[in-house]
């Protein structure tokens, strides 16, 4: 049976995930399981861009199988119970996330590139925090209950106040 | 042509040796010597004397101070500091951010609120219990949804502005 393609344009050739594990392939799988568990549990995680891209592919595959085939499909259930170590997350995948994203057509996850923070930001005591450069993203599942990352979408240019005033002035002159 | 010239020259040399032709007269250079009364420019008996005098090349004689070096390295605007063309003004708060990233100032507040909701969510779901229902975030002074399967997360403070869908109205007012 042919496996349906993913809804996102995913990178086929993986880059280094900057892992510190000694065992190359098993450590990679283990880290992917940890990150997938975090994503399904918290619905939004922050990580570096390579790990995010790698995790995103697996998450898309899991959610798509859950949406298409449901919990009674043998292969989907095997995949889910392999990649999600905590069994309550398998329940969440099939009972919460798959019904929520049934009608999604453009991918089930989203990646936001974060700005480089200042050294003291995110720290209430003003202590120096992590400093990362151009490699820190937020990976989230769509339609989550968390506060939206971009609450106010950018309005059209014609709705900016200077443009409204200019348009009114032009109309009054003409 | 070069080969012909070389052969002619060598022929001349050999003829000079054989016929004892007179050498070029050094008296012709006396005028130049009078204009430049330098010991080094006088013809010496052996080339070893020239070597003893030593060769003078153009070298730096004074040490450049550290301050001067740093100034030359980083202080020249035409070489090092270039204007940024990839900065945008945030629509919501007015801070600058890079074009491909989120506004760091806005994201800091979203992230702080997300941490609160995440913690409340993990408490609501509990540990090692199957997760079967969505969650709804309810802030202080908001009505709770009734007769619905969602789990309710109560957060004991007012809803922040950026979390509301419509900025002119309060959500779920009791
Ligand atoms: Zn902003």
């Amino acid at each position: 049976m042919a496996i349906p393609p993913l809804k996102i344009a995913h990178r086929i050739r993986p880059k280094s995930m900057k892992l510190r594990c000694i065992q190359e392939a098993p450590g990679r799988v283990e880290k992917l399981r940890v990150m997938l568990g975090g994503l399904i549990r918290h619905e939004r995680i922050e990580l570096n861009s390579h790990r995010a891209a790698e995790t995103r592919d697996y998450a898309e595959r899991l959610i798509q199988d859950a949406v298409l085939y449901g919990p009674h499909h043998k292969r989907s259930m095997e995949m889910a119970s392999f990649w999600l170590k905590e069994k309550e997350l398998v329940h969440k995948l099939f009972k919460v996330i798959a019904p929520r994203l049934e009608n999604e057509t453009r991918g089930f996850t989203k990646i936001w590139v974060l700005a480089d923070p200042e050294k003291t930001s995110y720290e209430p005591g003003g202590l120096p925090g992590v400093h990362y450069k151009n490699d820190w993203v937020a990976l989230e599942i769509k339609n989550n209950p968390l506060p939206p990352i971009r609450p106010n979408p950018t309005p059209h240019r014609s709705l900016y106040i200077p443009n409204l005033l200019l348009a009114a002035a032009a109309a009054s002159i003409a | 042509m070069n080969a012909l010239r070389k052969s002619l020259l060598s022929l001349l040399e050999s003829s000079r040796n054989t016929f004892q032709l007179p050498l070029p007269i050094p008296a012709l250079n006396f005028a130049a010597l009078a204009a430049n009364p330098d010991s080094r420019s006088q013809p010496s008996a052996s080339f070893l004397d020239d070597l003893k005098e030593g060769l003078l090349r153009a070298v730096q004689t004074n040490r450049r101070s550290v301050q001067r070096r740093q100034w030359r390295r980083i202080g020249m605007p035409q070489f090092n500091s270039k204007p940024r063309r990839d900065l945008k003004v945030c629509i919501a708060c007015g801070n600058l951010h890079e074009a491909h990233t989120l506004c760091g100032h806005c994201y800091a507040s979203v992230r702080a609120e997300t941490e609160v909701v995440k913690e409340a969510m993990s408490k609501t779901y509990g540990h090692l219990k199957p997760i079967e229902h969505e969650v709804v975030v309810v802030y202080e002074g908001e009505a709770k949804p009734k007769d619905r399967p969602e789990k309710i997360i109560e957060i004991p403070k007012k809803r922040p502005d950026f979390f509301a869908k419509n900025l002119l109205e309060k959500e779920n007012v009791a």
Side-chain angles (χ1 to χ4, degrees):
Chain A
M1 187 178 62
I3 298 174
L6 295 185
K7 295 186 193 305
I8 55 164
H10 70 114
R11 191 187 52 219
I12 293 171
R13 192 173 168 191
K15 284 186 181 175
S16 162
M17 290 201 290
K18 298 186 183 175
L19 299 176
R20 285 182 198 152
C21 54
I22 301 169
Q23 296 176 324
E24 189 60 34
R28 193 185 182 88
V29 169
E30 197 60 30
K31 190 68 189 171
L32 274 171
R33 287 163 96 182
V34 169
M35 290 187 293
L36 274 170
L39 177 64
I40 300 289
R41 181 182 289 282
H42 300 297
E43 315 226 352
R44 180 185 296 159
I45 51 176
E46 286 183 19
L47 62 178
N48 74 35
S49 59
H50 294 174
R51 293 183 195 184
E54 193 86 13
T55 311
R56 187 187 192 188
D57 291 348
Y58 286 86
E60 290 275 339
R61 168 65 62 210
L62 285 184
I63 298 173
Q64 179 160 311
D65 282 4
V67 167
L68 283 180
Y69 305 120
H72 303 298
H73 189 241
K74 193 184 166 195
R75 180 173 59 81
S76 306
M77 187 52 92
E78 272 180 7
M79 284 275 284
S81 45
F82 173 76
W83 285 108
L84 303 173
K85 286 194 285 188
E86 297 101 332
K87 293 308 153 214
E88 67 263 30
L89 298 182
V90 182
H91 285 268
K92 186 175 183 182
L93 175 68
F94 283 99
K95 293 178 184 171
V96 177
I97 293 173
R100 187 204 294 168
L101 299 171
E102 261 177 357
N103 302 321
E104 191 62 51
T105 53
R106 303 186 64 186
F108 307 105
T109 53
K110 187 149 180 58
I111 282 182
W112 302 87
V113 182
L114 302 182
D116 297 345
E118 294 173 8
K119 289 221 167 179
T120 53
S121 66
Y122 305 155
E123 296 283 335
L127 297 170
V130 286
H131 189 71
Y132 29 79
K133 201 176 179 191
N134 289 335
D135 196 28
W136 204 243
V137 300
L139 173 64
E140 67 172 6
I141 298 176
K142 283 183 184 175
N143 301 342
N144 51 27
L146 300 174
I149 277 188
R150 184 175 281 164
N152 305 315
T154 311
H156 191 256
R157 274 182 200 168
S158 62
L159 294 178
Y160 290 178
I161 288 176
N163 289 346
L164 281 176
L165 294 175
L166 283 173
S172 70
I173 289 170
Chain B
M1 282 304 287
N2 260 340
L4 183 65
R5 197 156 163 265
K6 265 186 189 173
S7 62
L8 272 176
L9 281 175
S10 62
L11 188 67
L12 271 175
E13 284 292 320
S14 58
S15 64
R16 179 187 289 158
N17 287 340
T18 45
F19 300 114
Q20 298 290 320
L21 285 178
L23 291 167
I25 310 163
L28 285 177
N29 287 330
F30 281 170
L33 279 177
N36 266 332
D38 192 355
S39 65
R40 265 175 280 143
S41 61
Q42 285 176 2
S44 52
S46 164
F47 75 97
L48 287 175
D49 292 346
D50 278 346
L51 282 184
K52 275 178 199 164
E53 290 287 335
L55 295 168
L56 280 186
R57 294 280 168 89
V59 291
Q60 197 178 4
T61 52
N62 295 325
R63 177 180 172 276
R64 237 177 225 150
S65 67
V66 174
Q67 191 183 3
R68 199 79 186 159
R69 265 184 276 152
Q70 294 300 323
W71 186 88
R72 284 171 64 89
R73 245 172 235 163
I74 64 177
M76 304 183 82
Q78 66 267 36
F79 291 130
N80 283 308
S81 55
K82 288 171 187 164
R84 294 288 298 264
R85 301 284 181 195
D86 58 339
L87 295 182
K88 271 184 170 179
V89 176
C90 176
I91 292 290
C93 70
N95 284 56
L96 286 175
H97 63 96
E98 286 172 321
H100 68 284
T101 64
L102 293 170
C103 168
H105 184 259
C106 292
Y107 182 70
S109 53
V110 171
R111 178 195 160 113
E113 198 57 38
T114 303
E115 290 303 317
V116 173
V117 177
K118 267 184 190 175
E119 198 169 321
M121 200 157 77
S122 67
K123 272 183 194 166
T124 309
Y125 279 143
H127 187 55
L128 290 176
K129 292 176 191 165
I131 301 170
E132 296 177 343
H133 299 295
E134 293 264 12
V135 290
V136 177
V137 184
V138 173
Y139 281 87
E140 194 179 273
E142 292 177 354
K144 298 175 188 171
K146 287 171 187 171
D147 304 331
R148 285 166 72 184
E150 284 104 342
K151 291 209 169 193
I152 294 169
I153 293 176
E154 285 186 66
I155 294 177
K157 64 173 186 178
K158 293 256 173 130
R159 179 179 282 266
D161 287 343
F162 59 86
F163 202 167
K165 278 175 190 165
N166 187 354
L167 289 179
L168 297 178
E169 294 173 3
K170 284 191 174 178
E171 281 194 346
N172 303 333
V173 177

